[in-house]
Amino acid sequence: MTEHEAPRVTVLGLGRMGTAIAGAYLAAGYRTTVWNRTAARGDALAAQGAVRAADVAEAVAAGPLLVVPLLDPATVRRTLEPAAPLLAGRTLVSLANGTLEQARDLAAWAAGHGAHHLAGAMMALPHTIGAPEAFFFFSGSESAFEEHRTALEVMATGHYLGADPAAAETHSLAVLGTGYAALTGFLHAAALLETYGTGPERFAPLAAAWLRDMAAFLPHLAKEAASGSYADAASTIDLNRPAVDTLIAASTERGVDPRVHHPLKALLDRRSADGYGDDSFSSLYELLKPARPRP
Ligand SMILES: NC(=O)c1ccc[n+]([C@@H]2O[C@H](COP(=O)([O-])OP(=O)(O)OC[C@H]3O[C@@H](n4cnc5c(N)ncnc54)[C@H](OP(=O)(O)O)[C@@H]3O)[C@@H](O)[C@H]2O)c1
């Protein structure tokens, strides 16, 4: 592929993620234009063949696809503001975590300047960019996602989640939330086991083995939650209720703060008191989902 024929991409923002992303495009043979507020962060990429833009306008004008991994959506907008008239007809992919309101504001601003906008949320680390385990969530313009899918998947597997620009961020938070609960549970358990002389490093592989099993259980849990059918339970509310009670009691006895498990205890107690003790653990979903699902 000659340089003239190579597909073009601009990466605006060369922090940890942007540097990895620009590197992935260079490795994939893209003519990669880069810009960063602190220009020196582009030195290594320039040495690898990236084209350095003198300013944001030159970076935007360099091609049809702008990938922008900056701090947050407000920074994306502030950075692009001077080049806003050049955005018309180009695809702007903002890869910046922020509030849902910021995501929607940025999308409206980009659309106001005639850009096709995709909000992205990166489920990846700098070193996993381009690796099979990396995945990104996208929402916004579906036609932009389809048109640029090959280029987007140089960074990570892409999942398109609908037109609402906040959907990518919300899905990212949902995945993080799943992890937060598991990681907090791990840290609490590690503190408890420390009192038995089992250090966190010895416990970690045991917890990891269990989490792998739990991950394999998710589709089953999801099927029950989606169908609202909890009768054929592998693990019931009333089976888990005493287990959580004992975990809390064991923690209290050993001087370890058990409060991380209080919300789960409250849900299990309520479900049991409502007469659903024989239902599957997954029936907690009935207490968590909105009374009337939004359309
Ligand atoms: N790192 C991760 O593991 C990871 C994983 C998933 C998602 N993310 C998300 O990816 C985005 C980028 O993260 P990162 O880790 O690459 O961040 P980072 O290494 O801190 O880089 C931040 C980038 O934003 C630029 N920036 C910050 N403030 C600016 C301003 N006021 N004006 C212009 N440019 C500004 C920085 O430019 P300078 O170089 O000039 O400071 C740099 O290019 C964030 O939304 C983050 O939440 C990160």
Side-chain angles (χ1 to χ4, degrees), residues 13-18 36-38 41 69-72 75 78-79 95-97 122 124-126:
L14 301 174
R16 284 163 294 191
M17 296 305 275
N36 193 53
R37 178 182 64 171
T38 307
R41 286 182 100 167
L70 287 172
L71 189 64
D72 56 28
T75 305
R78 257 199 324 274
T79 302
L95 297 173
N97 293 122
M122 303 184 275
L125 295 167

Side-chain angles (χ1 to χ4, degrees), residues 140-228:
S141 165
E142 185 168 14
S143 55
F145 177 74
E146 291 305 338
E147 183 183 346
H148 294 289
R149 189 165 193 161
T150 304
L152 295 173
E153 293 203 329
V154 167
M155 298 182 279
T157 302
H159 299 278
Y160 177 77
L161 300 163
D164 183 346
E169 185 67 34
T170 310
H171 282 69
S172 160
L173 292 170
V175 171
L176 287 180
T178 305
Y180 286 147
L183 297 182
T184 311
F186 168 73
L187 294 171
H188 167 268
L192 174 61
L193 292 191
E194 184 88 68
T195 72
Y196 284 91
T198 299
E201 284 177 320
R202 200 163 139 225
F203 175 49
L206 303 175
W210 178 249
L211 280 178
R212 273 193 290 278
D213 252 22
M214 290 296 98
F217 192 49
L218 287 183
H220 181 74
L221 224 63
K223 195 173 168 194
E224 290 180 330
S227 66

Side-chain angles (χ1 to χ4, degrees), residues 196-283:
Y196 284 91
T198 299
E201 284 177 320
R202 200 163 139 225
F203 175 49
L206 303 175
W210 178 249
L211 280 178
R212 273 193 290 278
D213 252 22
M214 290 296 98
F217 192 49
L218 287 183
H220 181 74
L221 224 63
K223 195 173 168 194
E224 290 180 330
S227 66
S229 162
Y230 305 108
D232 187 19
S235 183
T236 65
I237 294 287
D238 277 347
L239 188 81
N240 285 283
R241 212 159 60 88
V244 173
D245 284 346
T246 306
L247 178 60
I248 289 171
S251 304
T252 306
E253 183 190 295
R254 310 294 288 192
V256 174
D257 189 335
R259 282 176 296 176
V260 67
H261 288 297
H262 284 180
L264 174 58
K265 174 178 165 47
L267 289 167
L268 290 166
D269 286 350
R270 176 154 163 223
R271 195 73 185 146
S272 186
D274 288 348
Y276 297 106
D278 288 336
D279 275 7
S280 170
F281 180 84
S282 62
S283 72

